[in-house]
């Protein structure tokens, strides 16, 4: 009975964690969109703070899960796998927060002509993060099919890479040698890392399922 | 009652050695602590010995008609020394082979061997790993189908395997008590007035339980990590197949080797998964141990008998 209760507790904490990751990604997408529409720092400060808040909340829940899992609720192997998975997952909202911080600290200028493509990149990266959360949740509902859900992350990661390459090429084709171009390029790279990190989570999920394949 | 001490020593050595086959995989995979496993195992062994231990006692006591207490002491001590030697060498051997080897040694020396009984026992030795192999394949396929097609969480899978391993571990321990208590005290059947076969089975079970509690950890780790890497799922299949097999032989009334049944089960899993996953070197070493066990026991008991004959020609 004790094991069942702890299992339910872990499962509900993980659902809460996934929800906070999704919340962070939604806030991130909204904040970038708002910044593209109006680059006034004061106007976007609140939405940037929202990203940070959601990321911190995800961090707190992850730590709670770690403590819960060390109270002898799982096989040592599963405990290690799930902790590793959560730590890898945590890098996705962290990256979203880094991108927002970059905008704030480095005064990133988003050229109007590239904003729609940038928003498309942000959308793809966020969808990769949603696919990651979906695959992770599958582990806790129908684990043998979690590997199938990972395929979607790979597709979105490839799409993100394609948009990144195309966008950087367009930015530099304008022969504008200003520092803001370099900063914008770095920002694009920072954003696309969200999907790269989601892909790393997908790889971990594949390994977790493969280790338990019969 | 002094000769009984040899049998109790054998029971202790048997417990130290054979508990590994029941909870070894679970302990080595860190699914359950040694302490908890040994306590559960000891209790279930005693219950198994009380409830179903008599059948094996009838079989072993009929292998060779020995009535002299010194001869019985030689038989039980030879078997115990053999099992202890093998345990120290970290080889999971068969206590029933040691017992029957010892009985055969004295039986041959005295010309009182009951060949019909010996053939029955050795046939069961061959049949038990084959039976475990077949049962393991069936259990593996059934469990695998369930885990593959039932939409379960990784946590539920853990819970199922954890509970399953504890349950089959207890069942395996019960079957071990039912099947193997005769190895410890079977030859003393009818030798002590007022002591029934059930009481002898209880004594055998108690000595096996003591061996589990005091000296089984090392062999548990050797079995758990030796032949094939065992995860929770394969451990569950191995133990349940072994337990079912030795329980069947407890009904037949022939003590068989839990080690042989375990190896048979692991071979069955290896066949389903692909033979490359079996460590054949470990398997060869274990096979070598099996071959040595009855031979060493036979030599020890016949030599021991000869020494006693020289000391007391009246034997």
């Amino acid at each position: 009975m004790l094991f069942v209760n702890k299992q339910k507790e872990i499962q509900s904490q993980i659902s809460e964690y996934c929800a906070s990751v999704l919340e962070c990604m939604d806030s991130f997408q909204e904040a970038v969109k708002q910044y593209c529409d109006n680059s006034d720092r004061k106007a976007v400060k609140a939405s940037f703070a929202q990203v940070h808040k959601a990321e911190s909340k995800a961090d707190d829940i992850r730590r709670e899960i770690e403590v819960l899992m060390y109270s002898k609720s799982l096989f040592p192997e599963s405990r290690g796998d799930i902790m590793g998975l959560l730590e890898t997952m945590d890098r996705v909202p962290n990256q979203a927060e880094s991108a927002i911080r970059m905008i704030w600290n480095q005064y990133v200028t988003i050229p109007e002509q590239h904003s729609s493509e940038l928003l498309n990149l942000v959308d793809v990266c966020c969808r990769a993060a949603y696919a990651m959360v979906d695959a992770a949740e599958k582990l806790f509902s129908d684990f043998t099919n979690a590997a199938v859900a990972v395929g979607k992350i790979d597709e979105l990661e490839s799409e993100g890479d394609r948009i990144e390459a195309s966008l950087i090429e367009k930015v530099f084709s304008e022969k504008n040698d200003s520092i803001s171009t370099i900063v914008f390029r770095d920002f694009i790279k920072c954003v696309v890392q969200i999907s790269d990190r989601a892909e790393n989570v997908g790889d971990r999920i594949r390994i977790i399922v493969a280790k338990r394949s019969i | 009652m002094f000769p009984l001490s040899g049998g109790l020593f054998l029971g202790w050595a048997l417990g130290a050695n054979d508990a590994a086959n029941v909870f070894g995989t679970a302990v080595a995979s860190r699914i359950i602590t040694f302490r908890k496993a040994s306590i559960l195992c000891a209790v279930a062994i005693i219950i198994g010995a009380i409830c179903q231990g008599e059948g094996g006692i009838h079989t072993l006591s009929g292998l060779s008609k020995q009535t002299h207490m010194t001869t019985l002491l030689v038989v039980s001590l030879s078997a115990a020394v053999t099992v202890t030697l093998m345990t120290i060498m970290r080889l999971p051997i068969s206590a029933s082979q040691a017992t029957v080897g010892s009985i055969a040694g004295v039986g041959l020396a005295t010309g009182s061997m009951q060949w019909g009984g010996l053939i029955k026992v050795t046939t069961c030795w061959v049949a038990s790993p084959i039976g475990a192999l077949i049962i393991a394949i069936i259990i593996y396929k059934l469990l695998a189908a369930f885990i593959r097609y039932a939409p379960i969480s990784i946590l539920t899978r853990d819970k199922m395997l954890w509970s399953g391993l504890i349950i089959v571990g207890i069942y395996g321990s019960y079957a071990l008590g039912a099947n193997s208590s005769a190895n410890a005290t079977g030859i003393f059947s009818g030798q002590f007035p007022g002591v029934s076969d059930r009481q002898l089975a209880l004594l055998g079970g108690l000595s096996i339980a003591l061996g589990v509690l005091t000296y089984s950890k090392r062999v548990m780790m050797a079995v758990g990590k030796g032949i094939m890497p065992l995860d929770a799922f394969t451990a569950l299949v191995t133990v349940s197949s072994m337990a079912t097999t030795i329980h069947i032989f407890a009904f037949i009334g022939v003590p068989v080797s839990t080690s042989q049944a375990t190896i048979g089960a692991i071979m069955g899993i290896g066949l389903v998964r692909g033979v490359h996953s079996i460590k054949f070197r470990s398997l060869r070493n274990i096979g070598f141990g099996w071959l040595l066990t009855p031979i060493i026991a036979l030599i020890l008991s016949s030599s021991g008998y000869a020494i006693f004959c020289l000391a007391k020609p009246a034997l």
Side-chain angles (χ1 to χ4, degrees), chain B residues 40-204:
Chain B
L40 282 174
C41 184
V43 172
I45 283 171
I46 294 167
I47 296 170
I50 296 169
C51 297
Q52 282 187 281
E54 288 171 83
I57 287 182
H58 294 316
T59 304
L60 285 193
S61 61
L63 276 183
S64 172
K65 298 291 177 200
Q66 302 297 333
T67 52
H68 202 285
M69 281 298 168
T70 312
T71 316
L72 295 175
L73 181 64
V74 167
V75 169
S76 55
L77 270 180
S78 306
V81 169
T82 308
V83 172
T84 310
L85 275 176
M86 295 306 211
T87 305
I88 289 167
M89 288 158 70
R90 297 192 189 191
L91 289 169
I93 47 87
S94 161
S96 47
Q97 282 186 334
T99 308
V100 174
S102 298
I103 295 172
V106 174
L108 288 173
T110 56
S112 61
M113 197 64 224
Q114 303 294 313
W115 293 101
L118 187 67
I119 290 166
K120 180 185 170 188
V121 170
T122 46
T123 307
C124 289
W125 286 352
V126 177
S128 66
I130 297 169
L133 184 145
I134 295 165
I135 292 170
I137 292 173
I138 295 167
I139 293 177
Y140 187 101
K141 297 260 184 193
L142 289 174
L143 271 179
F146 176 75
I147 288 181
R148 265 188 213 130
Y149 302 115
I152 53 166
S153 146
I154 195 170
L155 300 173
T156 309
R157 178 187 184 273
D158 270 19
K159 193 188 93 183
M160 278 171 46
L161 294 178
W162 186 88
S163 316
L165 275 165
I166 304 301
I167 292 165
V168 297
I170 294 168
Y171 172 53
S173 305
Y174 172 88
L176 176 66
N179 187 286
S180 300
S181 55
N183 287 327
T185 49
I187 55 166
F188 300 103
S189 174
Q191 302 297 321
F192 304 109
V195 178
S196 68
D197 283 354
R198 178 161 288 192
Q199 286 166 329
L200 280 176
L202 169 63
L203 277 173

